[in-house]
Amino acid sequence: MTGTPSASGLHLPQYLREAAELRTPVGYADYKSTGLRAPLRTPVDLPHRLTEVTGPVLGGDRVRPEDADLTLRNGGEAVGQRILVYGRVLDSGGRPVPDALVEVWQANAGGRYRHVVDTFPAPLDPHFDGLGRVMTDSLGRYEFMTIKPGAYPWGNHHNAWRPAHIHFSLFGQAFPQRLVTQMYFPDDPLFGQDPIFNAIPAAARHRAISRYDLERTQDNWALAFEWNIVLRGREQTPFETEDDGDVA
Amino acid sequence: MSVDPLHVPDVTEPYQPRSGRRGTGFLTEPLRLGGTPSATVGPYLAIGLTWADGIWAAEEGTPGGVWIRGRVFDGAEQLVPDAMIETWQADPDGGFPSPEDPRGAASYPGFRGYARAATVEPPGEFGFFTLKPGRVPDGEGGLQAPHLDVSLFARGLLDRVVARIYFADEAEANAEDVVLRSLPDDAARQTLIATPTEDGYHLDFYLQGDRETVFFAV
Ligand SMILES: [Fe+3]
């Protein structure tokens, strides 16, 4: 047993946390805006009770099929290298996370976001808004078509450039599984000087990098990158352990 | 002292295959995949995370609805104008619209339980419309005080930070709440307690400083 809170005899699953040395810290000195924003006190442990083991059902009704193709917006084709981005959303126990909302946003091929705060003098693309939404299927799979985002400068340090990346936001089925992250591309020469990438502990950085996939690359059309996303899984309950022996 | 490279001690333990259990070849530990690391939402989150209906945890006009508003401050006590707050909570009867609730998914008219609001307009302020939650079991034989779970996201935060919102007009329930009671002192508790306003409640979050909000590790 785990000393788990339970609701009148109900066993509540506790969601496992990644070891501290593999988790991105909230603050990181080289990323300057964390200085006044990342909390300084040690967070208080919150065991998972009913509010934590549940989570919103944000159904497919807010996602339209065309939201999975970022290359066709406002009646025309976006400029840039077409890429298929696909993968599976799993939990750390290897179980697929089905029917989960995946939201993505990104810069255009020139490295410019369609946002008032972005003043980088690269052209905006009238046919690219940089927003995508998909639901995972029953096996936890997602995929969307987009263009490869450009690198872009930011003011963090002299000549600072963000490696090409796509922002991802995911809901699992329970509050602890909520994840906002960024997907990178293989072998980016900008990794070395990027504090947002390097804030990820070295042993976990590869998990943020997609894999070029020749097999899914579409002939005469688009390159393909695979990125599997792992949300937090539940601890194995004593019930499940016994079951393993009985069934079969 | 010299080592004879050909002196190999006899094996005293039987060979253990990777299962750690002799001869089965099956994993005896649950499979563990490495979790995907979090990253900041950055300054352009509005592109991907703006919903027309984000602020409506309860549908507009739902009887008994309240506005919960507040601000987010950084360590220099400046308003944070580019944060996003998300909330998750029970309905007024203490049920969750989630199949993960072992008591069964609840359904309360017009209620989604989830809100997403940016601190954009006016700068640094968020506001969302919801129903005050009921009390839910704490798993230790008692009831938790009415509360919302909160995730805060912003540029300059490499992971979300998690807090709760409680209500000042629930003093009796708050005094019994297992989470509030676990906090070190009253000043810490006060950082999570929203005060009544004309149309609902108000609570400010402080990312740093003397009044730093109590954040939770979930
Ligand atoms: Fe970005």
Side-chain angles (χ1 to χ4, degrees):
Chain A
M1 278 307 288
T2 52
T4 298
S6 58
S8 30
L10 296 165
H11 180 86
L12 295 184
Q14 300 293 288
Y15 284 79
L16 297 160
R17 301 183 78 194
E18 192 61 79
E21 64 270 21
L22 292 170
R23 284 200 304 264
T24 315
V26 180
Y28 187 71
D30 288 348
Y31 173 20
K32 297 217 174 93
S33 15
T34 66
L36 284 172
R37 292 189 169 191
L40 299 174
R41 295 190 189 147
T42 309
V44 174
D45 267 316
L46 184 68
H48 302 162
R49 297 183 176 85
L50 281 166
T51 320
E52 289 75 37
V53 302
T54 52
V57 177
L58 301 165
D61 55 334
R62 64 175 59 249
V63 176
R64 303 163 304 167
E66 58 265 35
D67 293 340
D69 190 343
L70 290 78
T71 69
L72 293 172
R73 295 286 155 90
N74 302 317
E77 290 200 58
V79 172
Q81 169 74 66
R82 253 183 240 110
I83 57 172
L84 173 75
V85 176
Y86 82 97
R88 292 183 78 191
V89 182
L90 303 168
D91 73 16
S92 58
R95 283 175 283 256
V97 181
D99 308 314
L101 176 63
V102 180
E103 298 168 283
V104 299
W105 70 102
Q106 63 169 91
N108 69 20
R112 175 91 184 261
Y113 284 91
R114 188 172 285 282
H115 190 290
V116 288
V117 170
D118 190 349
T119 55
F120 175 39
L124 283 168
D125 180 346
H127 300 302
F128 189 78
D129 59 16
L131 162 66
R133 289 182 181 135
V134 288
M135 299 292 292
T136 62
D137 69 10
S138 60
L139 297 175
R141 295 177 299 199
Y142 74 91
E143 67 176 65
F144 57 92
M145 185 67 80
T146 185
I147 53 100
K148 180 148 186 230
Y152 60 86
W154 59 311
N156 187 72
H157 55 275
H158 175 67
N159 210 11
W161 290 79
R162 292 299 328 280
H165 60 275
I166 299 177
H167 295 262
F168 274 70
S169 166
L170 294 106
F171 294 87
Q173 292 147 325
F175 187 78
Q177 293 185 308
R178 181 85 176 93
L179 177 70
V180 173
T181 183
Q182 300 179 18
M183 183 201 94
Y184 297 91
F185 294 87
D187 305 318
D188 196 314
L190 296 170
F191 284 154
Q193 55 79 60
D194 181 49
I196 293 181
F197 177 76
N198 288 297
I200 305 168
R205 280 176 207 151
H206 65 283
R207 300 175 188 168
I209 304 172
S210 58
R211 178 185 75 88
Y212 172 65
D213 182 6
L214 181 65
E215 241 168 70
R216 291 290 306 270
T217 287
Q218 297 176 4
D219 187 32
N220 267 312
W221 192 252
L223 296 179
F225 292 88
E226 178 186 26
W227 194 47
N228 296 320
I229 301 161
V230 178
L231 306 181
R232 292 165 60 185
R234 302 160 168 189
E235 70 177 3
Q236 200 179 39
T237 63
F239 176 79
E240 283 169 321
T241 314
E242 281 161 28
D243 230 15
D244 284 348
D246 293 346
V247 184
Chain B
M1 196 171 77
S2 69
V3 176
D4 177 358
L6 298 182
H7 178 77
V8 179
D10 285 336
V11 173
T12 54
E13 293 288 314
Y15 173 63
Q16 300 287 323
R18 64 204 149 144
S19 67
R21 189 194 287 169
R22 193 178 170 205
T24 67
F26 288 103
L27 293 168
T28 56
E29 291 296 313
L31 176 65
R32 289 289 304 276
L33 302 176
T36 303
S38 73
T40 179
V41 288
Y44 309 120
L45 68 162
I47 296 172
L49 300 178
T50 300
W51 289 1
D53 64 347
I55 62 172
W56 303 105
E59 280 167 22
E60 193 171 1
T62 306
V66 291
W67 283 96
I68 299 181
R69 301 181 213 274
R71 296 170 296 179
V72 180
F73 290 95
D74 70 12
E77 301 237 349
Q78 297 297 303
L79 286 167
V80 176
D82 54 2
M84 181 179 81
I85 177 175
E86 288 181 341
T87 59
W88 171 244
Q89 59 165 107
D91 66 31
D93 298 331
F96 291 93
S98 160
E100 299 297 304
D101 188 329
R103 305 167 302 173
S107 149
Y108 193 96
F111 181 75
R112 183 173 72 193
Y114 167 81
R116 170 186 279 184
T119 60
V120 175
E121 196 53 54
E125 191 166 318
F126 64 82
F128 58 94
F129 185 79
T130 191
L131 298 171
K132 199 170 167 187
R135 299 183 70 176
V136 301
D138 63 11
E140 292 163 33
L143 291 171
Q144 301 184 68
H147 66 275
L148 288 69
D149 272 9
V150 173
S151 302
L152 259 172
F153 302 84
R155 171 178 67 84
L157 295 175
L158 284 160
D159 199 353
R160 66 168 171 171
V161 292
V162 170
R164 275 186 168 195
I165 296 175
Y166 287 90
F167 301 91
D169 51 7
E170 297 283 347
E172 210 171 296
N174 289 344
E176 297 168 6
D177 185 82
V178 66
V179 174
L180 286 177
R181 287 170 61 131
S182 76
L183 301 182
D185 54 47
D186 220 45
R189 283 185 274 277
Q190 286 307 320
T191 68
L192 302 180
I193 298 180
T195 50
T197 60
E198 245 170 48
D199 60 357
Y201 295 89
H202 182 98
L203 180 64
D204 292 335
F205 293 96
Y206 291 85
L207 293 172
Q208 295 181 357
D210 294 341
R211 292 190 276 181
E212 184 176 313
T213 300
V214 169
F215 293 107
F216 293 105
V218 282

